[in-house]
Structures are given as structure tokens and as C-alpha cells.
Amino acid sequence: MTRFLRRRLLLAVPTLLGVSVVVFATVALVPGDPVTAFLGPGAPAEARQALAARIGLDRPLPVRYLDWLGHTLTGDLGTSVSTQRPVADLLLPALGQTLVLAGAAFALVLAGGVLLGTLGALRPHGWTKRLTGAAATLAVSAPQYSVALLLTAVFAVHWHLLPASGTQDAFTGGGPADQLRHLVLPATAAALVPLGLTARVHRAALTTVLGSDLADGLRARGLGRAAVLRHCAHNASPALLTIGGLQLAYLLEGVVFVETLFARPGLGRLLYDALTARDLPLVQGGVLLVATAFVGVNLLVDAAHAAIDPRVRS
């Protein structure tokens, strides 16, 4: 197991290096002039040149990348052009909010996906299969923005049950219960698509195991239905683990619309505002942080998969 993890960590190094090249080049080559976006089109030439020199835009692209990479390896992600604050000081609080939202959505994904998938596998015929299949298909097919607007219109505007924006009440300051209420709608909107995918994959994997010789052998030994289901679920868990890891990575990088719509101060909304302001250091640091989290999630999934199935370690 240690050797397997060491190999995966060594493979992650060139992966992250390649990601850093792609992130820097993509952000640097985005059309538009960040100097003009910050100073305005009527700024004098001296001010434009001074700002370009201060943020390094007057140097060749490879030199800028190597300088940025060297500072990044020391934990220095640069200074935001629009706020004049260190990029790391802006990213870390926003990352915390995104992790809270992604974690809540992921809990809904696992609970709902496992429930729908298990019901569909246990009842492969009849109305239960059709109902769970229709629910999973609807979750995958429904546009996220339409679901978010519908949830807001029904639960926040019409019924006044849940807040539609922010992370806590602006007047009372809120507490854990208030923060949870603010989390329900965005987490539900973010979880629908990955929930449907997880349910379909888990149902297919569990159905295959329940129809295999393993399940027949367990029944022949006199095990009850719950015990057979437990053993079969364990054998189907690698597929659930793989799709779950992918959906968690998707949630970490795909909640930008949800955070923007529900006015949550997360990483996605911060990057959206930074792109609008052409704040390149903040965009580069944020995208690199998201990509690093994606690689880290994949490493955790590989490690968990190897712990469940020793054949993966070879």
C-alpha cells in the first residue's frame, strides 16, 4: 500500500506541473487587456506602463511563468490587482465557503444516489424501477440554473421557508441553524446532476453483483436478504467510490453558478468577479487551487480504491 501511494504521489508531481503550465498560459492568453480593465481606456501611458511593469506584463511569457511558478512553490500566489491584497488571503476564506457548500451537496449526492440506486437494483421490475429511473434521469437532465431559480421561487419567494442568498442573516448574525438554512437551497441545486449520475452508476453496479454467482452462493449458504445486500454492496463499492470521487471533484469546480446565483462568497464567485475585473493573479491562483484540489481528490479516491480492492495496488 505504501509503494502504491508513493507511485501515485510521484505521478501527481508532473500532473500538477502540467496543470500549472495550462493554467498560466490559458489565463495569460485570454483576450483583453488587464491594464485597461483596471485603469480604464483613458489612462495615461505612464500609468499604464507602470502598472504593466508592476504586475510583470512587460516581460516575455516564459519568464513570467517561471517567476510565477517559483513564487507559487513558496506559497506566494501574488497580489490581487483589484484589491491590492495577497491572493492567498482572498482565496482561503472563499475556499472554506466552497468546501462547506460542496461538502453539503456531496452528502446529498451520496445519500440520494445510494438510496435511489439501491431501490432500483432491489426492484429491477415494476413501478419502483421506473420511479427511481425517472428520478435519476430527471436529476441529470434538469438544467441547474432552472432548478435553482425554481427552488428560489418556491421555497424563498412564495413560501418564505428558506433564505435565497448569503450565508447568514444580516441582522441577527445567525448561528449554526441559520447557516444551515442558508445552505439548503444552494446545496440542493448543486447536488441534483451528480446525484442522478451516482444513482444510475450505483444501480447498474449493484444489479450486476446481485445477479452474479457471488450472490447466489451467499443465498445458498442461508444468508438473509440484508446480509446478501451488505456483501454485494461492498463488492459494488468500487464503482460508487469512483463516481463519487468524480462528482466531488465536479462539485469543487462546478459550483460557480450556484455561488453566484445564491450570492455565496465562495471560490467560484470570487473567480467570476476576478475574471470580470481581469485580475490575472487572482484568477491564476484560484484556478490552480481548484486544479490542485481536483488532483488531491483523485489521489484520495485511488487510495480508498486500493484499500478496498488489493488488486489495484499491483
Side-chain angles (χ1 to χ4, degrees), residues 50-140:
L51 179 59
R54 183 160 61 84
I55 62 179
L57 294 179
D58 58 338
R59 294 177 295 170
L61 189 62
V63 176
R64 287 159 50 193
Y65 167 72
L66 292 176
D67 181 64
W68 174 75
L69 179 62
H71 284 85
T72 299
L73 292 176
T74 64
D76 179 13
L77 297 176
T79 302
S80 168
V81 177
S82 56
T83 65
Q84 295 301 303
R85 294 178 56 193
V87 169
D89 291 349
L90 297 172
L91 289 178
L92 292 181
L95 176 62
Q97 291 291 341
T98 296
L99 290 176
V100 169
L101 175 57
F106 188 62
L108 293 177
V109 168
L110 284 184
V114 170
L115 178 61
L116 289 178
T118 302
L119 289 176
L122 290 177
R123 303 284 186 179
H125 307 288
W127 66 269
T128 304
K129 177 188 177 182
R130 290 193 292 269
L131 183 61
T132 56
T137 302
L138 179 62
V140 172

Side-chain angles (χ1 to χ4, degrees), residues 158-182:
H158 184 66
W159 287 344
H160 303 287
L161 294 177
L162 295 168
S165 62
T167 59
Q168 61 183 14
D169 190 272
F171 298 100
T172 64
D178 182 55
Q179 294 176 10
L180 183 61
R181 292 179 66 250
H182 282 78

Side-chain angles (χ1 to χ4, degrees), residues 4 74 76 95 117 122 157 186 204 248 282 299 312:
F4 172 82
T74 64
D76 179 13
L95 176 62
L122 290 177
V157 177
L248 177 58
L282 184 54
L299 280 174
V312 178

Side-chain angles (χ1 to χ4, degrees), residues 172-210:
T172 64
D178 182 55
Q179 294 176 10
L180 183 61
R181 292 179 66 250
H182 282 78
L183 194 60
V184 172
L185 292 184
T188 303
L192 279 181
V193 172
L195 187 154
L197 291 172
T198 302
R200 296 172 71 171
V201 170
H202 182 59
R203 183 185 64 185
L206 188 57
T207 299
T208 300
V209 178
L210 286 172

